[in-house]
Amino acid sequence: MQRQVALIKQSLFDQGYLDEQFMELEELQDDANPNFVEEVSALYFKDSARLINNIDQALERGSFDFNRLDSYMHQFKGSSTSIGASKVKAECTTFREYCRAGNAEGCLRTFQQLKKEHSTLRKKLEHYFQLARQAGPKETARRPK
Amino acid sequence: MINPGHGRGPDSGTTAGGSNFDPFPANLRVLVVDDDPTCLMILERMLRTCLYRVTRCNRAEIALSLLRKNKNGFDIVISDVHMPDMDGFKLLEHVGLEMDLPVIMMSADDSKSVVLKGVTHGAVDYLIKPVRIEALKNIWQHVVRKKRNDWNVSEHSGGSIEDTGGDRDRQQQQREDADNNSSSINEGNWRSSRKRKEEEVDEQGDDKEDTSSLKKPRVVWSVELHQQFVAAVNQLGVDKAVPKKILEMMNVPGLTRENVASHLQKYRIYLRRLGGVSQHQGNMNHSFMTGQDQSFGHLSSLNGFDLAVAGQLPAQSLAQFQAAGLGRPTLTKPGLSVSPLVDQRTIFNFENPKIRFGDGQGPMMNNGNKQMNLLHGVPTGMEPKQFAGSHMRVQQQMTGVRPGQNVQSSGMMLPVADQLPRGGPSMLPSLGQQPILSSSASRRSDLTGAVAVRNSIPETNSRVLPTTHSVFNNFPSDLPRNSFPLKSAPGISVPVSASYQEEVNSSDAKGGSSAATAATAGFGNPSYDIFNDFPQHQQHNNNISNKLNDWDLRNMGLAFSSNQDAAAATAAFSSSSSTQRKRWETDATVVAEHGQNIQPPSRNLNHLNHVYMDGGSVRVKSERVAETMTCPPANTLFEEQYNQEDLMSAFLKQEGIPPVDNEFDFDGYSIDNIPV
């Protein structure tokens, strides 16, 4: 079971969904904070859902206030980076570039892509955490100090 | 390097290493501010892993109020750059000015311009997200470094030539001259100023304990204190202000030269920054506080503009902060959160806790009325006493300056006043009255700001804080308008007035006083509105105040010669208008003669001017001015704050002056108008 969990995690890294930052977070986890990473993830998804909503609304309005969109995206990027969601982060960067270029079409397209990545990651992580919980705390590998 | 003993693993870490375990830097008290909850959670976790004691907050305003409430409750602050409620740099400035704590900025944005901004605003470090724990492990070095620097500064602080008798004269003169010898600040050479400090080593002795000790007594720059400081600086002339003189002018027991020096340094940076960003209203960067050392040179651009910028801080926020910080109820009028000032926890508690100015800033600054503006900017933290002290100085300066000085010089006190066209933070913190002088509120704010700055630099300990504290930022947004008298503040040397005046006279005359306020505001606590309190003379103020402001500032400068305090006041006032200044000078002198009766703040500005003339009365003036400037409610507050009899008397005197005051049109202030 634990191996399975480890494999899943590894694949997430391999596929580029997660990056090194995620490992950093895992290292912060310990006996006193056994579910730290999961908690952070949950918080991230909750907060980013809110951001996505805001952006959706802003885009729907059609006014394309690029500054505001850029500002939202900056926030989004910040949290995605902190958790190690690399694909999501990449989409954020692309989105911001379109914003700066004033390319509304590009923004919309990218945003759809971003939402997709975001939701994919969420599912994968949820699955991962679920398994990890079942497998027991040991499966969380700690980077050797 | 001290390692908390465990990078990853059990939190306790205490067991690690047994005898080898060095508890330091464990228990470093960190305040982390970030609007992103994910980041905040991660950072907190990381910091706890480093054995630090973490407090987190997702709003900058909350962070500021937390800091203000617990002045010595934190060792270091980590803040995000992009936050919805307040720009991270603004927070940075505030912290630097008010609390003199090292601040680390962080952001996902790694563009050079932003990083540079962090540097110029005085951040001790800049971290790029995602932040790794390794980066956080070493933040303690900033705390140690700062303390060491503060200590060093205090050791060498004897240098400033503040006691040069020529300060006052200097004030009158152009800033550029005379400053060199007396105020090391002019040179802008921080190092040289340090040397000068050596002379005053004795002062510092008590301040610096062993360098290794992290617990250096920290001076809390309350709004009142800051206002006093700003007033003093304004009086002396921003460029010319040297810590020693400022200290003398402020006359706050327990405040050392180092404290003033470090605060001055920050103030100067702040002013400089203001000068560079005219549109930064209410930018509360404390950076300018760093001017403590004589390196006033940096603050060349302090002129009122800086204060004005500082004043940008919306009065409201300032008021809020002040209130929060001081634990006082926020004044209804945003600009007038004077009361918070009073509450200062700061060391220098004034008897009059209220910082009238606190609130006045916002609204005041901009209009002509805003005499008080100066004070608005003044951090509420400044204890009235402190403030009063500064006022005194201002007043003195004013008087001193007056005699024979051209009006221009009188503006010294609030050189800012001039500059702060908008009645930005009146440099005359003490003046409160400032607005009176220069009708333009803007001036006043300058004064206040300036004064405020002065007052609020109780902690000289840090050597010229590198962090640019935009002291002025604290100021209510009025700052921009004021001719931020802070100009002189940068150098916040005692001879503030001199330089100020010049500035005050020139352009902003109106905002003169506000500049002072602004200055003060920046530093101390939210009660920057010291000047704001002045509104007492509102009625007059409207016309008079504008004039007064300028005038006051000028006078302040004039007063300098005679009396530091008075000068300060005058300076604040004189800022109002150059022309007025001249007249005012005469007035001021006249007033001076009068005797300092402390009249009710509501004296018209004219009186204020006169008041400045006197040493003690000068203060009163500033108060009045400030009040007249725009903050009606502030008047009383202000008055009380200053409580200083001197101030009052100064003001009173003014009133005693024949009608000239009222109709004294500062703009066209001609000496002959002054009823003697």
Coordinates of all heavy atoms in Angstrom, one line a residue, chain A residues 20-21 24-25 27-30 32-33 36 39-40 43-44 47 50 74-75 77-83 89 96 142-143 145, chain B residues 3 6-11 35-39 41-42 45-46 49 56 80 82 84 107-109 129-134 137:
Chain A
E20 N 9.4 20.5 -6.8 CA 10.2 20.4 -5.6 C 9.6 21.0 -4.4 O 9.8 20.6 -3.3 CB 11.5 21.1 -5.9 CG 12.7 20.1 -5.9 CD 13.7 20.4 -4.8 OE1 13.7 21.5 -4.3 OE2 14.5 19.5 -4.5
Q21 N 8.9 22.0 -4.6 CA 8.3 22.7 -3.5 C 7.4 21.8 -2.7 O 7.3 21.9 -1.5 CB 7.4 23.9 -4.0 CG 6.8 24.8 -2.9 CD 7.8 25.5 -2.0 OE1 9.0 25.5 -2.4 NE2 7.4 25.9 -0.9
E24 N 9.3 20.1 -0.3 CA 9.7 20.9 0.8 C 8.6 20.9 1.8 O 8.8 20.8 3.0 CB 9.8 22.4 0.3 CG 11.1 22.7 -0.5 CD 12.1 23.2 0.4 OE1 11.8 23.7 1.5 OE2 13.3 23.1 0.1
L25 N 7.4 20.9 1.3 CA 6.2 20.9 2.3 C 6.2 19.6 3.0 O 5.9 19.6 4.2 CB 4.9 21.1 1.5 CG 4.8 22.5 0.8 CD1 3.4 22.6 0.2 CD2 5.0 23.6 1.7
E27 N 8.5 17.9 3.9 CA 9.5 17.9 4.9 C 9.1 18.6 6.2 O 9.6 18.4 7.2 CB 10.8 18.4 4.4 CG 11.4 17.5 3.4 CD 12.7 18.0 2.9 OE1 13.2 19.0 3.5 OE2 13.3 17.4 1.9
L28 N 8.2 19.5 6.0 CA 7.7 20.2 7.1 C 6.8 19.4 8.0 O 6.4 19.8 9.1 CB 7.0 21.5 6.7 CG 7.8 22.6 6.0 CD1 6.9 23.7 5.5 CD2 8.7 23.2 7.1
Q29 N 6.4 18.4 7.4 CA 5.4 17.5 8.1 C 6.2 16.6 9.1 O 7.3 16.2 8.8 CB 4.7 16.6 7.1 CG 3.5 15.9 7.6 CD 2.6 15.5 6.4 OE1 1.9 16.4 5.9 NE2 2.6 14.3 6.1
D30 N 5.6 16.5 10.2 CA 6.3 15.6 11.2 C 5.2 15.0 12.1 O 4.0 15.1 11.9 CB 7.3 16.4 12.0 CG 6.7 17.7 12.6 OD1 5.5 17.6 12.9 OD2 7.4 18.6 12.7
A32 N 4.3 16.0 14.9 CA 3.4 17.0 15.5 C 2.4 17.5 14.5 O 1.4 18.0 14.8 CB 4.3 18.1 16.1
N33 N 2.8 17.5 13.2 CA 1.9 18.0 12.2 C 1.8 16.9 11.1 O 2.4 17.1 10.0 CB 2.5 19.3 11.6 CG 2.7 20.3 12.6 OD1 1.8 21.1 12.9 ND2 3.8 20.4 13.2
F36 N 0.1 18.0 7.6 CA 0.4 19.3 7.2 C 0.1 19.5 5.7 O -0.5 20.4 5.2 CB 1.8 19.7 7.5 CG 2.2 21.1 7.0 CD1 1.6 22.2 7.5 CD2 3.1 21.2 6.0 CE1 1.9 23.5 7.1 CE2 3.5 22.4 5.5 CZ 2.9 23.6 6.1
E39 N -3.4 19.5 4.7 CA -4.1 20.7 5.1 C -3.8 21.8 4.2 O -4.7 22.6 3.8 CB -3.7 21.0 6.5 CG -4.3 20.1 7.6 CD -3.6 20.2 8.9 OE1 -2.8 21.2 9.1 OE2 -3.9 19.4 9.8
V40 N -2.5 21.9 3.9 CA -2.2 23.0 3.0 C -2.8 22.9 1.6 O -3.3 23.9 1.1 CB -0.6 23.1 2.8 CG1 -0.2 24.1 1.8 CG2 0.0 23.4 4.1
L43 N -6.4 23.9 1.8 CA -6.5 25.4 1.9 C -6.2 26.0 0.5 O -6.9 26.9 0.1 CB -5.4 25.9 2.9 CG -5.5 27.4 3.2 CD1 -6.8 27.8 3.7 CD2 -4.4 27.7 4.3
Y44 N -5.2 25.5 -0.1 CA -4.9 26.0 -1.4 C -6.1 25.8 -2.4 O -6.4 26.8 -3.1 CB -3.7 25.3 -2.0 CG -3.5 25.5 -3.5 CD1 -3.1 26.7 -4.0 CD2 -3.8 24.5 -4.4 CE1 -2.9 26.9 -5.3 CE2 -3.6 24.7 -5.7 CZ -3.2 25.9 -6.2 OH -3.0 26.1 -7.6
D47 N -8.9 28.2 -1.5 CA -8.6 29.6 -1.8 C -8.5 29.8 -3.3 O -9.0 30.9 -3.9 CB -7.3 30.0 -1.2 CG -7.0 31.5 -1.2 OD1 -7.9 32.3 -0.8 OD2 -6.0 31.9 -1.7
R50 N -11.8 30.2 -5.0 CA -12.3 31.5 -4.9 C -11.7 32.4 -5.9 O -12.4 33.2 -6.6 CB -12.0 32.0 -3.5 CG -12.5 33.4 -3.2 CD -12.0 33.9 -1.8 NE -10.6 33.9 -1.7 CZ -9.8 34.9 -2.1 NH1 -10.3 36.0 -2.5 NH2 -8.5 34.8 -1.9
H74 N -1.6 37.0 -10.3 CA -0.4 37.1 -9.5 C -0.6 36.4 -8.2 O 0.2 35.6 -7.7 CB 0.0 38.5 -9.3 CG 1.2 38.7 -8.4 ND1 2.4 38.6 -8.9 CD2 1.3 38.9 -7.1 CE1 3.3 38.8 -7.9 NE2 2.7 39.0 -6.8
Q75 N -1.7 36.6 -7.6 CA -2.1 35.9 -6.4 C -2.1 34.4 -6.6 O -1.6 33.6 -5.8 CB -3.5 36.3 -5.9 CG -3.5 37.5 -5.1 CD -4.9 37.8 -4.5 OE1 -5.8 37.0 -4.7 NE2 -5.1 38.9 -4.0
K77 N -0.8 32.7 -8.8 CA 0.5 32.1 -9.1 C 1.3 32.0 -7.8 O 2.0 31.0 -7.6 CB 1.3 33.1 -10.1 CG 2.6 32.5 -10.5 CD 3.3 33.4 -11.5 CE 4.7 33.0 -11.7 NZ 5.5 34.0 -12.3
G78 N 1.2 32.9 -7.0 CA 1.9 32.9 -5.7 C 1.5 31.6 -4.9 O 2.4 30.9 -4.4
S79 N 0.3 31.4 -4.8 CA -0.1 30.2 -4.0 C 0.2 28.9 -4.7 O 0.6 28.0 -4.0 CB -1.6 30.2 -3.5 OG -2.4 30.9 -4.4
S80 N 0.0 28.9 -6.0 CA 0.4 27.7 -6.7 C 1.8 27.4 -6.6 O 2.2 26.2 -6.5 CB 0.0 27.8 -8.2 OG -1.4 28.2 -8.3
T81 N 2.6 28.4 -6.6 CA 4.0 28.2 -6.5 C 4.4 27.7 -5.1 O 5.2 26.8 -5.0 CB 4.8 29.6 -6.7 OG1 4.3 30.1 -7.9 CG2 6.2 29.4 -6.7
S82 N 3.7 28.2 -4.1 CA 4.0 27.8 -2.8 C 3.7 26.3 -2.5 O 4.3 25.7 -1.6 CB 3.3 28.6 -1.8 OG 3.6 30.0 -1.9
I83 N 2.8 25.9 -3.2 CA 2.4 24.5 -2.9 C 3.1 23.5 -3.9 O 3.1 22.3 -3.7 CB 0.9 24.3 -3.0 CG1 0.4 23.0 -2.3 CG2 0.4 24.3 -4.5 CD1 -1.0 22.8 -2.3
K89 N 1.0 26.6 -12.2 CA 1.8 27.8 -12.2 C 2.2 28.2 -13.6 O 2.2 29.4 -14.0 CB 3.1 27.5 -11.4 CG 4.0 28.7 -11.3 CD 5.1 28.5 -10.4 CE 6.3 27.7 -11.0 NZ 7.5 27.8 -10.2
R96 N -0.7 35.5 -17.6 CA -0.2 36.9 -17.3 C 0.4 37.5 -18.5 O 0.3 38.7 -18.7 CB 0.7 36.9 -16.1 CG 0.0 36.6 -14.8 CD 0.9 36.7 -13.6 NE 1.1 38.1 -13.2 CZ 2.0 38.6 -12.4 NH1 3.0 37.8 -12.0 NH2 2.0 39.8 -12.1
R142 N 10.4 11.3 4.0 CA 11.1 12.5 4.4 C 12.4 12.5 3.7 O 13.1 11.6 3.7 CB 11.3 12.5 5.9 CG 10.0 12.6 6.5 CD 10.0 13.6 7.6 NE 8.9 13.3 8.5 CZ 9.1 13.0 9.8 NH1 10.3 13.2 10.3 NH2 8.1 12.7 10.5
R143 N 12.7 13.7 3.3 CA 14.0 13.8 2.7 C 15.1 13.7 3.8 O 15.0 14.3 4.8 CB 14.2 15.2 2.1 CG 15.3 15.3 1.2 CD 15.5 16.6 0.6 NE 14.3 16.9 -0.2 CZ 14.0 18.2 -0.6 NH1 14.7 19.2 -0.1 NH2 13.0 18.4 -1.3
K145 N 17.9 14.2 6.1 CA 18.5 15.5 6.5 C 20.0 15.5 6.3 O 20.7 14.7 6.7 CB 18.2 15.7 8.0 CG 18.7 17.0 8.5 CD 17.9 18.1 8.2 CE 18.4 19.4 8.9 NZ 18.9 20.3 8.1
Chain B
N3 N 22.2 27.3 14.7 CA 21.2 26.5 14.1 C 20.2 26.1 15.2 O 20.6 25.6 16.2 CB 21.8 25.2 13.5 CG 20.8 24.5 12.7 OD1 19.7 24.3 13.1 ND2 21.2 24.2 11.5
H6 N 17.3 22.0 14.7 CA 16.6 21.0 13.9 C 16.0 21.6 12.7 O 15.3 22.6 12.8 CB 15.6 20.3 14.7 CG 14.5 21.2 15.0 ND1 13.3 21.3 14.2 CD2 14.3 22.2 15.9 CE1 12.6 22.2 14.7 NE2 13.1 22.8 15.7
G7 N 16.3 21.0 11.7 CA 15.7 21.6 10.5 C 14.4 20.9 10.3 O 13.3 21.6 10.2
R8 N 14.4 19.7 10.3 CA 13.1 19.1 10.1 C 12.9 18.1 11.2 O 13.9 17.6 11.7 CB 13.2 18.3 8.8 CG 14.2 18.9 8.0 CD 13.7 19.1 6.7 NE 14.5 20.0 6.1 CZ 14.0 20.8 5.2 NH1 12.8 20.7 4.9 NH2 14.8 21.6 4.6
G9 N 11.8 17.8 11.5 CA 11.7 16.8 12.5 C 10.9 17.5 13.6 O 10.2 18.4 13.5
P10 N 11.0 16.9 14.8 CA 10.2 17.4 15.9 C 10.3 18.9 16.1 O 11.4 19.4 16.0 CB 10.6 16.6 17.1 CG 11.9 15.9 16.6 CD 12.0 15.9 15.2
D11 N 9.3 19.4 16.4 CA 9.3 20.8 16.7 C 10.1 21.2 17.9 O 10.8 22.2 17.9 CB 7.9 21.3 17.0 CG 7.1 21.4 15.7 OD1 7.7 21.2 14.7 OD2 5.9 21.7 15.8
D35 N -1.5 38.1 2.3 CA -2.9 37.9 2.1 C -3.3 36.5 1.6 O -4.4 36.1 1.6 CB -3.5 39.0 1.2 CG -2.9 38.8 -0.2 OD1 -1.6 38.7 -0.3 OD2 -3.6 38.9 -1.2
D36 N -2.3 35.8 1.1 CA -2.5 34.5 0.6 C -2.5 33.5 1.8 O -1.5 33.2 2.4 CB -1.4 34.1 -0.4 CG -1.6 32.8 -1.0 OD1 -2.4 32.0 -0.5 OD2 -1.0 32.5 -2.1
P37 N -3.6 32.8 2.0 CA -3.7 31.9 3.2 C -2.8 30.7 3.1 O -2.2 30.2 4.0 CB -5.2 31.5 3.3 CG -5.7 31.8 1.9 CD -4.9 32.9 1.4
T38 N -2.7 30.3 1.8 CA -1.8 29.1 1.6 C -0.4 29.4 2.0 O 0.3 28.7 2.7 CB -1.8 28.7 0.1 OG1 -3.2 28.6 -0.3 CG2 -1.1 27.4 -0.1
C39 N 0.1 30.6 1.5 CA 1.5 31.0 1.8 C 1.7 31.2 3.3 O 2.7 30.9 3.8 CB 1.8 32.2 1.0 SG 2.0 32.0 -0.7
M41 N 0.1 29.9 5.7 CA 0.2 28.7 6.5 C 1.5 28.0 6.3 O 2.1 27.5 7.3 CB -0.9 27.8 6.0 CG -1.0 26.5 6.8 SD -2.5 25.5 6.2 CE -2.4 24.1 7.2
I42 N 2.0 28.0 5.1 CA 3.3 27.4 4.8 C 4.4 28.1 5.6 O 5.3 27.5 6.2 CB 3.6 27.3 3.3 CG1 2.6 26.4 2.7 CG2 5.0 26.9 3.1 CD1 2.7 26.4 1.1
R45 N 4.4 27.5 9.2 CA 4.9 26.2 9.5 C 6.4 26.2 9.5 O 7.1 25.6 10.3 CB 4.3 25.2 8.5 CG 4.7 23.8 8.8 CD 3.8 23.2 9.9 NE 4.6 22.1 10.4 CZ 5.4 22.2 11.5 NH1 5.6 23.4 12.0 NH2 6.1 21.2 11.9
M46 N 6.9 26.8 8.4 CA 8.4 26.8 8.3 C 9.1 27.6 9.4 O 10.1 27.2 9.9 CB 8.7 27.5 6.9 CG 8.5 26.6 5.7 SD 9.0 27.6 4.3 CE 8.8 26.3 3.0
T49 N 9.2 25.7 12.4 CA 10.2 24.6 12.4 C 11.5 25.2 12.7 O 12.4 24.5 13.2 CB 10.2 24.1 10.9 OG1 8.9 23.6 10.6 CG2 11.2 23.0 10.8
R56 N 0.9 35.4 12.7 CA 0.6 35.6 11.3 C -0.6 36.5 11.2 O -1.5 36.5 12.1 CB 0.4 34.3 10.6 CG -0.8 33.5 11.0 CD -0.9 32.3 10.2 NE -2.1 31.6 10.4 CZ -2.5 30.5 9.7 NH1 -1.7 30.1 8.8 NH2 -3.6 29.9 10.0
D80 N 4.5 40.3 2.5 CA 4.3 40.1 1.1 C 4.3 41.4 0.5 O 3.9 42.4 1.1 CB 3.0 39.3 0.8 CG 2.9 38.9 -0.6 OD1 3.9 38.6 -1.2 OD2 1.8 39.0 -1.1
H82 N 2.5 42.2 -2.6 CA 1.2 42.5 -3.1 C 0.1 42.1 -2.1 O -0.2 41.0 -2.0 CB 1.0 41.8 -4.4 CG 1.9 42.3 -5.5 ND1 3.1 41.7 -5.8 CD2 1.8 43.3 -6.4 CE1 3.7 42.3 -6.7 NE2 2.9 43.3 -7.1
P84 N -3.9 43.3 -0.9 CA -5.1 44.1 -1.3 C -5.3 45.3 -0.5 O -5.6 46.4 -1.1 CB -6.2 43.1 -1.2 CG -5.8 42.1 -0.2 CD -4.3 41.9 -0.4
S107 N 7.8 38.0 -2.4 CA 6.9 38.0 -3.5 C 7.1 36.9 -4.5 O 8.3 36.4 -4.6 CB 6.9 39.4 -4.1 OG 6.1 39.4 -5.2
A108 N 6.1 36.6 -5.2 CA 6.4 35.7 -6.3 C 7.0 36.4 -7.5 O 7.5 35.8 -8.4 CB 5.0 35.0 -6.8
D109 N 6.9 37.7 -7.4 CA 7.5 38.6 -8.4 C 8.9 38.8 -8.2 O 9.3 39.3 -7.2 CB 6.7 39.9 -8.3 CG 7.1 40.8 -9.5 OD1 8.0 40.5 -10.3 OD2 6.4 41.8 -9.7
K129 N 9.2 34.0 -3.8 CA 8.4 32.8 -3.5 C 8.6 31.8 -4.7 O 8.7 32.2 -5.8 CB 6.9 33.1 -3.5 CG 6.5 33.9 -2.3 CD 5.0 34.2 -2.3 CE 4.5 35.0 -1.2 NZ 3.1 35.3 -1.2
P130 N 8.6 30.6 -4.4 CA 8.2 29.9 -3.1 C 9.4 30.1 -2.2 O 10.6 29.8 -2.5 CB 8.0 28.5 -3.5 CG 8.8 28.2 -4.7 CD 8.8 29.5 -5.4
V131 N 9.1 30.4 -1.0 CA 10.1 30.6 0.0 C 10.5 29.2 0.6 O 9.7 28.4 0.9 CB 9.6 31.5 1.1 CG1 10.6 31.6 2.2 CG2 9.2 32.8 0.6
R132 N 11.8 29.1 0.6 CA 12.2 27.8 1.2 C 12.6 28.0 2.6 O 13.0 29.1 3.1 CB 13.4 27.4 0.4 CG 13.1 27.0 -1.0 CD 14.3 26.7 -1.8 NE 15.0 25.5 -1.3 CZ 14.9 24.3 -1.9 NH1 14.1 24.2 -2.9 NH2 15.5 23.3 -1.4
I133 N 12.6 27.0 3.3 CA 12.9 27.1 4.8 C 14.3 27.5 5.0 O 14.6 28.2 6.0 CB 12.5 25.7 5.5 CG1 12.5 26.0 7.0 CG2 13.5 24.6 5.1 CD1 11.9 24.8 7.8
E134 N 15.2 27.2 4.1 CA 16.6 27.5 4.3 C 16.7 29.1 4.4 O 17.5 29.6 5.1 CB 17.4 27.0 3.2 CG 17.7 25.5 3.3 CD 16.6 24.7 2.7 OE1 15.7 25.3 2.1 OE2 16.6 23.5 2.9
K137 N 15.6 30.3 7.7 CA 16.4 29.9 8.9 C 17.3 31.1 9.3 O 17.7 31.2 10.4 CB 17.3 28.7 8.6 CG 16.6 27.4 8.8 CD 17.6 26.3 9.2 CE 17.0 25.0 8.9 NZ 17.7 24.2 7.9

